[in-house]
Amino acid sequence: MHQGRVPTSRSYFSIHIFQSKSTSSQYILHTSRNQAVSPMEQLLICLRFYATGSFYITIGDFSNLHMSTICRIIRRVTQAIASLRPQFIKLPCNADILKIQEEFYDIARFPRVIAAMDCTHVRIVSPGGNTAENFRNRKGYFSINVQAMCTVKLKFQNIVARWSTHDSLIFLNSSAKYAFDSGTFGSGLILGDSRYFLNNNLVTPFVNTRTPAERLFNESHIRTRNVIERCFGVWKRRFPVLSIRMRCQIPLVQDTIVATAVIHNITIDMKEDKPPEDPEVKVYQEEQIETLDPLIADSGDVRNLLLEYFESLITM
């Protein structure tokens, strides 16, 4: 069984304050036992679920509460934390863009980057019903394919936890794509792997490199984009429930994904220590079976301009 790696008391206190100030009191469970389960106790029960992925009956035995009460607590507290998403998971504002681009540039001299993006699988049990097979991925198990964007500091900027489909389709139907297409971030770029379509704002590596400049481009791209893979690793080590096959209904799975991402960002703001490496916690990602290199609009011009920049680095 995974050991709990929940944040320290500072973050517990912070989340409790944020919850009481920013969310509706309808999320706090009032029991028939004279409100015996305090909001802080409810929060700690929910965090224990995130940190262990235990059955409700096990958490109930530990907390001396009935399984049905544990179920209601986890559902309501998770909804409360997930509702903080607009406050803690957001794309950069204009004032932050230049600083973020400089931080990405310092990794491997890749210019104009404001986000690294990828997808990772969160395992679930079969949801049952006529649509269950929609959640079976190409490796044969059931999962939610979670798309996320992050900063150099491993802080989530955007997260999509609705689908179990191809990475590129998730992005094409996301609000983040709309924001970039509308020019909100100017010439800012997202780095994605070759499972994504190349377009004016989303830059993918070359599938087959032929020149030193293309090889340097790919090397810089991979090193810079690696922050999203590290982000997934830290997130899943902090909340092992994301690596264990979740035994919840789909809406609670989705809320849990968002809620743990919110807490992950809070721990970064609070400068909490990163959880230690754990070989039992796996970051499931799509197998690199196919690559997509067709262009959308005039996207080829963007990568060609970047290639000229990398050529200039070689000749310096």
Side-chain angles (χ1 to χ4, degrees), residues 2-69:
H2 297 282
Q3 297 298 314
R5 295 184 180 87
V6 293
T8 63
S9 57
R10 286 187 303 165
S11 288
Y12 288 160
F13 179 74
S14 299
I15 298 168
H16 177 56
I17 295 300
F18 294 145
Q19 179 179 337
S20 62
K21 289 184 177 180
S22 306
T23 62
S24 170
S25 61
Q26 67 178 318
Y27 290 121
I28 305 305
L29 179 64
H30 298 282
T31 72
S32 59
R33 294 168 46 188
N34 195 27
Q35 300 184 10
V37 187
S38 70
M40 179 58 76
E41 288 176 311
Q42 293 179 48
L43 176 61
L44 295 176
I45 287 168
C46 193
L47 290 175
R48 183 173 181 82
F49 171 67
Y50 299 160
T52 64
S54 297
F55 289 101
Y56 294 163
I57 191 170
T58 304
I59 300 175
D61 289 344
F62 179 82
S63 308
N64 196 28
L65 294 169
H66 192 272
M67 182 176 67
S68 62
T69 302

Side-chain angles (χ1 to χ4, degrees), residues 73-88:
I73 287 173
I74 290 173
R75 185 179 68 252
R76 293 191 182 189
V77 174
T78 297
Q79 289 173 347
I81 299 173
S83 73
L84 302 177
R85 173 181 182 161
Q87 183 178 349
F88 292 101

